[in-house]
Amino acid sequence: MITVVQVLDKSFEEFITRDEIQTEVESLAEQINNDFIGKEVVFIAVLNGSFMFASDLMKSISIESEISFIKMSSYSGTSTTGTVNKLIGLNNDLTGKSVIIVEDIIDTGITIDEIMALLTMEGAKEVKVCSLLYKPTAFKGTYKPDYIGFSISNAFVVGYGLDYNEKGRNLDSIFKIKESKT
Ligand code: IMP
Ligand code: MG
């Protein structure tokens, strides 16, 4: 029996279970522990979507590290500058540090490209991306994630931090939209 949930006007069916997520998150943490041992590491989790993933990932990180939470905020600049993106919440000095961006999902890759552009101005020694989910067929960005939990098809997903119109973030596994039979 596949568990089905309703979020607002859409039905979703269970896609990645809590156990599958847990196993994968522990494996990602182990790879990071091995790759970054002895480095000065700062995890930067992108809110809102990554809050649950970041929390579980950090429980299995054993290397000395810092974590900070950021948000991307877009605001309208002058007519000549158009929309300007800004990072809010970053108060760590990244000079010479190894930065690991923690994302919930990379879809087109546009968001991560913008975050990368803003973070490279902070003087980090290296910036890597760890994303729980990745949609390879939707991706048209520059920065393919270095650490990927699950590569998935283009279907819309919710749960484990991911939202559908801000709802469904609390679900403890990942659900995929049910194709409507019309
Ligand atoms: P990108 O800029 O296209 O890579 O999109 C990244 C953002 O879009 C993610 O951080 C999510 O907030 C949102 N997003 C993309 N795909 C999904 C999805 O399937 N479910 C929920 N949010 C998504
Ligand atoms: Mg996001």
Side-chain angles (χ1 to χ4, degrees):
M1 268 293 286
I2 296 174
T3 310
V4 174
V5 296
Q6 185 77 19
V7 180
L8 299 173
D9 61 337
K10 303 253 188 286
S11 291
F12 293 83
E13 57 189 20
E14 193 167 38
F15 177 45
I16 309 173
T17 65
R18 185 70 194 89
D19 282 354
E20 289 167 337
I21 296 170
Q22 193 54 44
T23 304
E24 188 55 39
V25 170
E26 284 168 17
S27 150
L28 285 172
E30 201 178 301
Q31 292 171 52
I32 292 171
N33 288 333
N34 289 328
D35 293 351
F36 290 87
I37 192 155
K39 295 186 173 181
E40 281 191 278
V41 179
V42 183
F43 289 91
I44 295 185
V46 185
L47 294 175
N48 293 328
S50 74
F51 78 97
M52 223 180 253
F53 173 43
S55 163
D56 283 342
L57 181 76
M58 292 310 287
K59 290 175 208 165
S60 297
I61 291 293
S62 54
I63 51 171
E64 189 181 276
S65 55
E66 300 172 17
I67 181 163
S68 199
F69 295 84
I70 61 162
K71 256 191 167 181
M72 275 287 284
S73 99
S74 304
Y75 60 94
S76 298
T78 64
S79 56
T80 49
T81 53
T83 306
V84 181
N85 291 303
K86 204 180 125 192
L87 290 182
I88 49 178
L90 185 67
N91 42 26
N92 307 54
D93 179 9
L94 302 185
T95 316
K97 305 272 174 74
S98 294
V99 171
I100 303 170
I101 302 173
V102 180
E103 261 286 26
D104 51 353
I105 186 163
I106 293 178
D107 185 21
T108 64
I110 290 167
T111 309
I112 199 70
D113 274 1
E114 285 168 356
I115 293 172
M116 279 295 213
L118 294 165
L119 277 182
T120 44
M121 300 189 289
E122 302 285 331
K125 190 172 93 186
E126 57 179 340
V127 183
K128 302 286 180 194
V129 178
C130 173
S131 185
L132 180 66
L133 302 172
Y134 174 51
K135 292 181 179 172
T137 55
F139 185 76
K140 47 181 161 67
T142 317
Y143 295 100
K144 196 176 169 287
D146 303 278
Y147 300 90
I148 297 167
F150 302 90
S151 285
I152 62 169
S153 68
N154 266 348
F156 190 82
V157 291
V158 292
Y160 197 69
L162 290 118
D163 72 303
Y164 167 47
N165 284 348
E166 294 302 326
K167 303 294 194 298
R169 294 191 194 275
N170 54 306
L171 296 164
D172 77 346
S173 53
I174 294 170
F175 290 75
K176 181 164 88 173
I177 198 157
K178 270 186 88 166
E179 304 304 335
S180 56
K181 292 177 188 73
T182 46

